[in-house]
């Protein structure tokens, strides 16, 4: 009987982790894409345009699926989520990429899983055990050291760090709100409604900041970067991410983002021909071990 009951639970958990990893793999390209666009476009343009395009894509999705309108309480929380995911993170990461290298940005964003877990605990009123927090902090330190070593950072503080720290705080808050809302709504509905509710603000602001001359020198790489940020990182990636947070729990699934710099590193090897370093693999294995520790700590809680 117990074994029969545990199979569905194990299946749900596996689904949560797979969906979470898919999202992390997509989010790992956020900083490189923002860096590509940081030259021709301003930070406000990058943040607004990616969210506006995502909102325009979300509108027909809601229309064709006949998605039920969120209630007043859900609208309030969707607007709170928007502060972090629709505005804060897209704009502030674009600001950061104007001042810091991608590798340096990875050091700061390594705090995102911890921020998400903290806000998740505040929103859901869940209190993970001490072992979970120790594993989370240990994972953050390991990832930050890896990112610093990869980019040769000597500990200097950049102006862009302030923007990225703000992005971490706002994204952690937004992710936690999205995970909590996804227990009441479908994960894809959460992001679609969050974007569409902001379309009356995003559209006029985007038109205000639009300048055709800024796109004159746009090449295929720049267009691809903008399209990826808009339709994958601001929309489709959150379909699977919100669902993963709802199925597996905000604190548990958020720790998968500790693997994000390693995905970025993998992309640099595949797409940019960088050399593979065995030490990176060892650190990745150590981080995976800490994610497992945090998971088991929550299971015993």
């Amino acid at each position: 009987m117990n074994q029969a009951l545990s199979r569905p639970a194990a299946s749900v958990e596996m689904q949560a982790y797979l969906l979470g990893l898919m999202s992390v793999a997509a989010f790992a390209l956020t900083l490189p894409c923002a860096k590509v666009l940081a030259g021709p476009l301003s930070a406000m343009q990058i943040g607004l345009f990616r969210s506006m395009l995502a909102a325009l894509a979300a509108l027909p999705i809601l229309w064709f699926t006949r998605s039920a309108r969120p209630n007043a309480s859900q609208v309030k929380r969707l607007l709170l989520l928007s502060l972090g995911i629709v505005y804060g993170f897209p704009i502030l990461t674009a600001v950061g990429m104007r001042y810091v290298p991608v590798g340096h940005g990875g050091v700061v964003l390594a705090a995102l899983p911890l921020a998400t877990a903290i806000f998740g605990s505040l929103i859901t009123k869940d209190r993970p055990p001490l072992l979970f927090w120790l594993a989370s902090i240990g994972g953050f330190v390991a990832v930050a050291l890896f990112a610093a070593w990869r980019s040769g950072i000597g500990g200097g503080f950049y102006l862009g760090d302030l923007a990225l720290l703000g992005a971490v705080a706002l994204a952690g808050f937004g992710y936690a709100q999205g995970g909590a809302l996804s227990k009441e709504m479908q994960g894809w509905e959460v992001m679609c409604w969050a974007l569409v509710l902001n379309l009356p603000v995003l559209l006029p602001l985007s038109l205000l900041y639009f300048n055709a001359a800024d796109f004159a020198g746009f090449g295929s790489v720049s267009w691809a970067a903008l399209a990826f940020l808009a339709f994958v990182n601001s929309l489709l990636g959150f379909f699977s991410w919100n669902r993963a947070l709802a199925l597996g729990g905000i604190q548990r699934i958020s720790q998968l983002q500790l693997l994000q710099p390693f995905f970025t590193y993998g992309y640099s090897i595949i797409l940019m021909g960088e050399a593979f370093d065995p030490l990176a693999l060892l650190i990745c294995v150590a981080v995976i071990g800490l994610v497992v520790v945090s998971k088991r700590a929550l299971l015993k809680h």
Side-chain angles (χ1 to χ4, degrees), residues 59-89:
L59 192 59
I61 294 175
L62 292 175
W63 174 266
F64 286 116
T65 58
R66 299 293 189 268
S67 175
R69 294 181 181 178
N71 58 42
S73 173
Q74 291 169 338
V75 167
K76 178 182 177 181
R77 286 177 287 163
L78 284 167
L79 292 177
L80 287 174
L81 175 156
S82 303
L83 294 176
I85 296 177
V86 177
Y87 298 104
F89 188 78

Side-chain angles (χ1 to χ4, degrees), residues 145-170:
L145 290 175
F146 164 75
W149 163 72
R150 280 280 302 140
S151 55
I153 297 169
F157 190 80
Y158 290 78
L159 178 63
D161 289 337
L162 294 175
L164 291 174
L165 285 171
V168 165
L170 288 171

Side-chain angles (χ1 to χ4, degrees), residues 266-282:
Y267 293 144
S268 70
I269 295 174
I270 297 171
L271 302 176
M272 303 172 66
E274 292 191 13
F276 169 73
D277 193 319
L279 181 58
L281 181 60
L282 292 176

Side-chain angles (χ1 to χ4, degrees), residues 189-210:
E189 286 183 308
V190 170
M191 200 58 216
C192 284
W193 277 113
L195 288 163
V196 169
L197 286 172
N198 283 279
L199 197 51
V201 176
L202 289 169
L203 192 54
L205 279 179
S206 296
L207 291 174
L208 179 65
Y209 278 90
F210 179 78

Side-chain angles (χ1 to χ4, degrees), residues 26-268:
F27 295 156
L29 284 171
T30 298
L31 294 186
C33 288
K35 191 69 174 180
V36 168
L37 297 172
L41 300 179
S42 70
M44 285 295 293
Q45 287 175 316
I46 296 170
L48 289 173
F49 292 169
R50 64 180 280 190
S51 292
M52 186 270 293
L53 290 172
L56 290 176
L59 192 59
I61 294 175
L62 292 175
W63 174 266
F64 286 116
T65 58
R66 299 293 189 268
S67 175
R69 294 181 181 178
N71 58 42
S73 173
Q74 291 169 338
V75 167
K76 178 182 177 181
R77 286 177 287 163
L78 284 167
L79 292 177
L80 287 174
L81 175 156
S82 303
L83 294 176
I85 296 177
V86 177
Y87 298 104
F89 188 78
I91 293 173
L92 290 177
T93 51
V95 171
M97 287 299 94
R98 298 187 70 85
Y99 295 99
V100 306
V102 171
H104 187 99
V107 176
V108 183
L109 293 194
L112 186 51
L114 192 57
T116 305
I118 291 172
F119 281 114
S121 297
L122 293 174
I123 291 171
T124 63
K125 308 300 183 184
D126 187 26
R127 296 293 181 267
L130 177 61
L131 181 59
F132 167 82
W133 294 116
L134 291 175
S136 299
I137 293 171
F140 159 67
V141 171
V143 172
L145 290 175
F146 164 75
W149 163 72
R150 280 280 302 140
S151 55
I153 297 169
F157 190 80
Y158 290 78
L159 178 63
D161 289 337
L162 294 175
L164 291 174
L165 285 171
V168 165
L170 288 171
F173 175 74
Y175 288 171
Q177 286 285 359
L181 271 169
S182 295
K183 292 183 179 294
E184 305 173 22
M185 308 164 61
Q186 295 293 325
W188 63 268
E189 286 183 308
V190 170
M191 200 58 216
C192 284
W193 277 113
L195 288 163
V196 169
L197 286 172
N198 283 279
L199 197 51
V201 176
L202 289 169
L203 192 54
L205 279 179
S206 296
L207 291 174
L208 179 65
Y209 278 90
F210 179 78
N211 185 350
D214 294 328
F215 293 90
F218 248 47
S220 58
V221 174
S222 296
W223 283 115
L226 181 58
F228 189 88
L229 288 177
F231 303 123
V232 178
N233 278 14
S234 296
L235 186 63
L236 297 177
F238 281 101
F239 289 9
S240 52
W241 183 243
N242 286 337
R243 180 61 174 166
L245 291 173
L247 290 175
I250 296 170
Q251 290 87 355
R252 184 183 305 170
I253 299 301
S254 67
Q255 300 309 296
L256 290 177
Q257 286 189 296
L258 290 169
L259 300 174
Q260 190 164 308
F262 300 99
F263 277 102
T264 303
Y265 177 51
Y267 293 144
S268 70

